[in-house]
């Protein structure tokens, strides 16, 4: 590769994702000016060819006009950085939020910045730590001309056509979706699609995880069962006598099966490295998009029980349902004098 | 009260439920012969007027023919007691399983016993520890004449008409449902209805418990929020600043509200006795009927997501989803390098 | 009855609920001034003893100061009525929103009205068309003194102690919860609790409805099964041969069972009037509180899968999942060449 | 390719899957004897190089001993074909069920056939209509030596290593999982894993479908909203003003995103061929494995709310929840006099 339209891009936020975006851009011939609160992160990328900046003022000064500034920051601090940048920028400059902002904030910000003739682009970025090599799937919201202007940047960051077979029935020859990036609509549309993407991700992950757990417990009939009024004896213990290697199941599903997916690739890799998943505590975080997807489903009146349930499973994994459980125990105790089991 | 048709009933199993059934029957003028592996339990009821038996043989000998024998036992041991009773009984005798047997076992047992001219009745019994005073709701399966023969027994055990207002639109004057007992159909039908009753119970309990938990966390906006890429900050902390007395909410819902129910009565009582539900571990058992209800829904092709979800919540309360959660953690670690939170 | 502290209350909105609140208040010795866009509704209540008003101006003029004005209006028009009332009212007057407003609107309104020294009370009101006789369960949010001032009104509207047995473990003797009304906290707290109440209601209704459906389909084994690769034959047809009278099941559950509840009373009544529920289309509305309950659960991080699922079932009942289903059909067609079934 | 260990295999059932398995085997140098009730299907494959049989007797006669017979039949008729085959076969012959049998039937059959010294192998086969080119993912249950004996067959049918990148952390060099087939355990284990595979498939499909539906309804704010007590107005209509091309979203997700998967490939293809999915009725079948996966989860006590919910969504797509919805309507009508909406 090597883009035929090299551009300059400023990057603020040199965490895992930001730094790798810079590397991927530079490899393809673009030039990057970089800024971070962590001077070592700036120095490292400067050593790889980027132009380092030691302050936001310095950063802005080093960018050609109209400036293109990409923010790769935790959603919670985007607005404070925008507040600092705003007075330094000039009409026509473009701000790209490549993080996980709530799409409603994009709408608000874009309006506010438009008052100062600044342009705003929201860009949902998927790909995780593997994106440097694989490329990142980009879901973009913003004004047509502004998004078009940035096209060489998006093209470089995205995976490109080769990473998947062409879609057989596809006849349209326009559009960038087959290259791995898509202008989804006006401001907010990019992060809206990314938000739902993550909701789908939660649901797919949960389906895979539940399935593998059912396979792992295919030996349930081997446990001795207590006999009392409170415990359900397993009626068909003979049917649950299997010791199945869950990691090998994940591995075999990677090839030719209907569930073949990057997520199955990843869990096969995790089992290859840690056959019993030792070292994973199972307290699963959720970082906003899953919750917002549920809010959108409810607002739209679209049933989304699978995605929602996968979100609640994460809450449960962090014992957030503890009070609910206590209430259930208390009710059972009231009506049945049910003594609680310890295990 | 005092039945105008006193009968004799044999009771095997003098746990909480069995003993109280005997007491309720004797109060109404019936006579009971009682048996239990625990001699003290037999002695106690003998002291209250029952005829005690010191063996199954003695028990059977003390019953008038055709005998009526009620089993109030853990589902898992019913078949072994039946095996012991069978050779002692004579054609025309009636066995009533008042416990929580799987309705399919009723069908099988009834067929087997019919070969020996023994009759079998399955009777789902709801009411818990309160049934002695309130009466028990009875859901009955069996042959028409046999169930009709036992009518005085069922009438005494059931709550009777007075315990609830008449149903305004009810015009039919036949049927025992308004008295709190119902012959639901042939063998198995009684336990089928009782099984689903418990599935409904799981769902209602879960709805109440979830709702009260949402109220209890109406102060969520008061907690300090961390700012990082993994944690979703609560956007509208101002809207979650309430300290609401959950126990008083349960109490107020008891009167005039749409959710008024015996379960709300019970949880109000639990909160009255223990305002923070201290002493309840929240490891919620499930005793078979909930599971079987889900199996029936799946077999019938009837969607039952609420009842099923309430069952899974109980599994989760016992950390049965732990492996699933570890898989989720492992996947997140693979694609995002997400470090896990400890809390 | 007959209150020992008669008050005057103005009521705006004389629909089903508003009119019956007025009647219940007048029966107990309170005086009501009433207003509605429908002059006939005003005239009818005037005929029963209320003071009719023919405009908001007239309405306000007829109220003693400090005025107490109860709004019983669709949530969507409360703000426009408030806008019209505000200039007519004077410092110290009290506005009570007894409808189904979103609690966040209460917080906003209360602040805005406080700037003009007007007081605002939010009052969630449960009881439906039966409330005139049964009384209404009231969940109240607002300032302590203002709520205390209105106590005689709330006490009359609420069901009072007699309608349920005392809670056995309750030792505290203060508090109005046993009378059927509760001051839950500052503004918004009343509607917050009412919102969750309705979420619980959705969940309980769904549990009951699913259960009765499973019972209704206990005859699933009687249908002939097609044999092809796409249809799952019912393996255990013998176990689904029951014709159970669902309406009688609802009736029997009213007495002594764990699921006894007002909702079961109601469905027993519906079946008594219409044994096959003919005339009900099954397109189930949802009026806001269910959705908001889910949003609160998600914001708080409290798992609420049962309540949420019951909301989605309502969406599904209105075919809101149709596009989702088409996508599933399309995927199945792609990977399996699965022809779709028509039924 | 071209196997270095050519074998002979008999195939009964020349539907889509069976015929393509035969073709894939013959391409790689194996020889096939084929049988089907449809003579034309036999003739077609005979024309491509297979040995056709015109009866089961003829089929058995044409196979070398020990015979290897693969059944590719609807689960519901496997047992009747086995009954016909049994008397024709001889000790040491091997039967492979490559269809979607319930794993419990495998256990039963294997035992029964073992009594006659016949061997049985259950082989879950995933890949759909694409398997001829892509290969099929195979999940196998049976005796070690028998499965080992058939290895050349499995190796040819499976996709082989090349179709996916190696798993980076994988260090073990034994095992066939990286080739796309896996001996999962004793009889039933193959179909058990395939069953759960399909459960996972249901869940993943539902997650994708729900997400795309939420994106499709991102224009929800454009609809006019009615104002009445029964309809929830969309509070934030401004946030739902997007017209997003759902098909292009599916296409872009194919590259570099976390949700990249064969299922996303397929739905992108479906949208490319039919942008509004016209022609799909959305009545989604379920063919057994999903249901059995839920039964296994419940038996094992493993929470599987996502997979289960996806099954129920399919039931709902066929209006199987209609009676439940009517009950909800009836209850609402009882407590609130709620008139039903028609749409």
């Amino acid at each position: 590769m090597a883009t035929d339209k090299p551009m300059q891009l400023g990057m603020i936020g040199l965490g895992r994702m930001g730094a790798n975006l810079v590397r991927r851009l530079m490899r393809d011939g673009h030039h990057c000016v970089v800024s971070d609160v962590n001077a070592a992160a700036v120095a490292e990328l400067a050593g790889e060819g980027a132009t380092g900046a030691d302050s936001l003022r310095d950063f802005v000064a080093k960018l050609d006009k109209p400036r293109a500034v990409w923010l790769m920051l935790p959603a919670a601090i985007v607005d404070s950085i925008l507040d600092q940048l705003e007075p330094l920028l000039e009409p026509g400059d473009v701000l790209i939020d490549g993080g996980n902002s709530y799409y409603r904030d994009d709408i608000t910000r874009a309006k506010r910045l438009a008052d100062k003739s600044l342009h705003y682009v929201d860009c949902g970025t998927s790909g995780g730590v593997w994106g440097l090599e694989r490329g990142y799937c980009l879901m973009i919201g913003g004004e047509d001309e502004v998004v078009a202007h940035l096209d060489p940047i998006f093209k470089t960051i995205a995976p490109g056509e080769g990473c998947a077979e062409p879609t057989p029935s596809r006849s349209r020859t326009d559009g960038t979706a087959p290259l791995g990036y898509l202008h989804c609509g006006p401001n907010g549309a990019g992060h809206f699609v990314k938000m739902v993407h993550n909701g789908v991700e939660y649901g797919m992950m949960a389906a895979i995880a539940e399935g593998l757990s059912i396979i792992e417990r295919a030996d349930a009939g081997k446990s001795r069962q207590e006999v009392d009024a409170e415990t359900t004896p397993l009626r068909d213990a003979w049917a649950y006598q299997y010791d199945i290697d869950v990691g090998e199941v994940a591995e075999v599903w990677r090839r030719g099966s209907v569930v073949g997916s990057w997520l199955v690739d990843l869990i096969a890799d995790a089992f290859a490295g840690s056959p019993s998943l030792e070292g994973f505590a199972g307290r699963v975080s959720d970082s906003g998009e899953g919750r917002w997807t549920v809010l959108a489903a409810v607002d739209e009146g679209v049933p989304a029980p699978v995605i929602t349930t996968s979100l609640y499973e994460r809450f449960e994994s962090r014992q957030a349902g503890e009070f609910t459980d206590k209430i259930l125990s208390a009710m059972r105790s009231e009506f049945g004098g049910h003594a609680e089991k310890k295990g």
Side-chain angles (χ1 to χ4, degrees), chain A:
Chain A
M1 66 191 182
T3 181
D4 52 357
K5 294 191 185 168
M7 287 184 71
Q8 187 206 49
L9 183 78
M11 177 70 65
I12 301 178
L14 302 176
R16 206 163 42 217
M17 294 274 287
N20 281 345
L21 284 173
V22 167
R23 289 186 180 106
R24 191 165 167 96
L25 286 163
M26 293 195 301
R27 281 194 196 172
D28 202 33
H30 298 288
H31 185 71
C32 295
V33 181
V34 298
S35 171
D36 195 280
V37 288
N38 174 2
V42 173
E44 185 178 349
L45 281 166
E48 299 177 31
T51 300
D54 55 20
S55 69
L56 285 185
R57 184 171 299 275
D58 181 39
F59 172 81
V60 170
K62 282 171 170 163
L63 287 167
D64 306 328
K65 303 178 197 176
R67 299 172 184 90
V69 177
W70 187 296
L71 307 178
M72 208 71 208
L73 300 164
I77 65 169
V78 169
D79 277 316
S80 78
I81 298 293
L82 282 181
D83 287 345
Q84 296 171 53
L85 273 175
E86 248 186 76
L88 304 174
L89 297 174
E90 289 165 281
D93 288 352
V94 180
L95 287 151
I96 305 132
D97 179 0
N100 279 331
S101 286
Y102 191 28
Y103 79 98
R104 297 184 175 202
D105 289 339
D106 296 321
I107 301 176
T108 314
R109 281 175 198 152
K111 274 196 193 137
R112 195 182 68 221
L113 294 167
D115 292 342
K116 311 213 172 171
S117 301
L118 297 171
H119 302 288
Y120 180 85
V121 171
D122 51 283
C123 179
T125 309
S126 180
V129 291
W130 303 64
L132 174 58
E133 299 310 324
R134 270 175 115 230
Y136 299 86
C137 180
L138 302 181
M139 294 147 268
I140 306 160
E143 300 152 273
D144 288 350
E145 327 75 62
V146 178
V147 173
H149 168 69
L150 296 169
D151 187 76
I153 296 290
F154 295 135
K155 187 171 287 172
T156 292
I157 295 174
E161 202 149 16
C163 80
E165 297 290 313
T167 293
S169 304
R170 187 173 181 92
S171 54
R172 59 186 285 190
T173 51
D174 65 327
T176 59
L179 304 173
Y181 65 107
L182 179 67
H183 181 198
C184 300
N187 275 120
H191 276 142
F192 188 94
V193 172
K194 174 56 161 53
M195 167 188 87
V196 178
H197 167 279
N198 284 31
V200 171
E201 174 190 311
Y202 283 29
M204 291 173 68
M205 288 172 72
I208 295 165
E210 287 179 7
L212 293 175
S213 287
I214 295 168
I215 291 171
E216 197 252 351
R217 284 294 288 150
D219 65 350
K222 295 187 169 179
S223 325
R224 211 176 46 78
Q225 295 272 324
E226 297 164 79
V227 173
D228 61 40
E230 289 312 298
T231 306
T232 310
L234 180 54
R235 293 176 69 80
D236 304 310
W238 60 271
Y240 297 98
Q241 299 287 336
Y242 299 117
D243 293 300
I244 301 174
D245 185 328
V246 183
E248 289 299 89
V249 169
E251 180 67 31
V252 81
W253 284 355
R254 297 185 63 224
R255 288 179 181 78
S257 91
V258 174
V259 303
S261 57
W262 196 47
L263 287 164
V264 167
D265 293 350
L266 295 180
I267 194 61
D269 193 61
F271 276 111
S274 170
S276 314
L277 302 184
E278 52 273 16
F280 295 99
R283 298 184 66 84
V284 192
S285 293
D286 68 279
S287 51
E289 293 88 352
R291 297 186 182 203
W292 302 328
T293 302
V294 172
L295 304 189
V298 169
D299 276 350
E300 296 178 359
V302 169
V306 161
I307 290 176
T308 306
T309 299
S310 68
L311 176 67
Y312 288 141
E313 276 192 308
R314 294 191 173 200
F315 290 0
E316 296 272 13
S317 80
R318 307 190 305 257
Q319 269 72 58
E322 200 179 11
F323 193 69
T324 302
D325 300 337
K326 285 187 171 193
I327 293 173
L328 295 175
S329 288
M331 274 194 249
R332 296 187 79 239
S333 166
E334 285 275 331
F335 70 70
H338 294 285
E340 289 199 311
K341 289 294 176 65
K342 297 301 169 226

